[in-house]
Amino acid sequence: MDVIKTQQISPRPIEKVIVHPLVLLSIVDNYNRVAKDTRKRVIGVLLGTSFKGTVDVTNSYAVPFEEDEKDPSIWFLDHNYHESMFSMFKRINAKEHVVGWYSTGPKLRENDLDIHRLFHNYVPNPVLVIIDVQPKELGIPTKAYYDVEEVKEDITLVVKITPFSPANSSETLA
Amino acid sequence: MVLEATMICIDNSEWMRNGDYGPSRFQAQADAVNLICGAKTQSNPENTVGVLTMAGKGVRVLVTPTSDLGKILACMHGLEIGGEMNLAAGIQVAQLALKHRQNKKQQQRIIVFAGSPVKHEKKTLEMIGKKLKKNSVTLDIVNFGEDDEGKTEKLEALLAAVNNNDTSHIVHIPAGPNALSDVLLSTPIFTGDGEGGSGFAASAAAAAAGGISGFEFGVDPNLDPELALALRVSMEEERARQEAAAKKAAEESSKQEKGGEEQDATMTERASEGASEADNKKNEFLALAMSMDEPASSHDLQDTEMSDAATEDPELALALQLSVQDSAKDSSSQADMSKLLADQSFVSSILASLPGVDPNDPSVKEVLASMQSQSEPQQKQDEDKAPKEEDKK
């Protein structure tokens, strides 16, 4: 409990995101069963631990998600499902917390910022990981993002999603 | 008992601060939502209800369709008012939420509370309506609050686009003394699609009807039957007395100024106000008896009697005062009236029919005795007065 509290009080800026293979497998499997030949994407929650600026993503699950293709501002994510699911996961491994969420992309979309804001309710600095389920080239199929608030010249607050530098996102192989 | 999944779209825009409904529009809406949730879950235990807000930062789903009433009621707390309502987005998100309902057999329904002006085009709304119809989603619209140009038309157009076999409804609720939820109870939104109001709705309607507003005398007959009965009898008696007084006044109008009639009416009015409680039943009757018996007495007589009566009962004094102001009255009709009153059996029968007045009560007996004794000298007095009045005139 103490670890969480210090995290919440002073969220340390994340420098590294490590994605474990189980996560990749379950995401790809889910995508193949649900949205394989469609243009729809799958969204889910990432569980793991965060320690000294490094996030270890160890588990994940998909959540019911719908969005309107024509109007990106219309979307629905079942957060009741997420809350129930997370409380059950917590029973088997109390150390796993919500660290962020994932999307099968393949690229960033307009409503990602809104969805990211929703996850601020569950974790102080959530991480978005875009998993490329149909990679064309060899390489790391993940891209990690986080959000920053910037004050522009005309004193407006802007929230942007920016990627971690590629060198800092890594993947462990079994 | 239709198996339904319902999404309720709440308007929490700035327009909901207005207080023309209930404590505030938002509160009235919240009460209505609670009522609907209760009714839906009671009519079929497998029904699910979800809630989302349309204004504020954007459309936000507060709770996805669930049959847990506690969760729904809990999420209604701490809602903030602000922003503008986005009707189109709200309905579309509600539709998406319904798509993910757990039991695919449930009928999809959206209930929208449209309190603020609708800024979408009619065409947009119609397209949304068609999409809903295609996905067999029924829509109920509660039109309340702001009523700007075109809002009703747009909502009607939306309803027409969605409606399929009259399963969708729209209700217009103008501001008024009745609570929003009470008015909703009688609408098809509650009574369902011809399934008839389930036990919940029916009992809630009965409770609301027996409630404070709109009920005669402001007393629920279920709570206090004796009081209600007493009030009703008193009302009827008052009416009878007013009719008699009116008849008398009609006769007198040729002889007297109109002022007398008005005073008669005001006297009966005031007497009836005072007698709105069962306790004052006796006093009313006494006032009636006294006023009838002493209509045209001379001023001296009246003064002494008034001073006696004034110490006991201020209302009585008032009644006497008013009757004093009626200077000339038709003694013959008075005599008839007093004869009637003097008739012991008649009087006791009236008294017996009055609840709360026991004919064997000593004070009542006193009055009867005094009336009887007065009736005899009264007739003599009337005869005396008649020549006196003529002298005065």
Side-chain angles (χ1 to χ4, degrees), chain A residues 64-68 71 74-76 78-80, chain B residues 61-64 71 89 92-93 97 99-100 131:
Chain A
F65 174 78
E66 282 287 336
E67 61 187 343
D68 190 282
D71 186 358
I74 309 271
W75 57 272
F76 162 73
D78 192 346
H79 58 88
N80 285 126
Chain B
V61 176
L62 297 172
V63 60
T64 50
K71 216 185 215 176
Q92 285 172 307
V93 174
K99 232 202 248 186
H100 277 278
K131 202 158 65 145

Side-chain angles (χ1 to χ4, degrees), chain B residues 353-365:
Chain B
S353 71
L354 291 173
V357 177
D358 187 3
N360 299 326
D361 203 6
S363 52
V364 178
K365 274 196 168 172

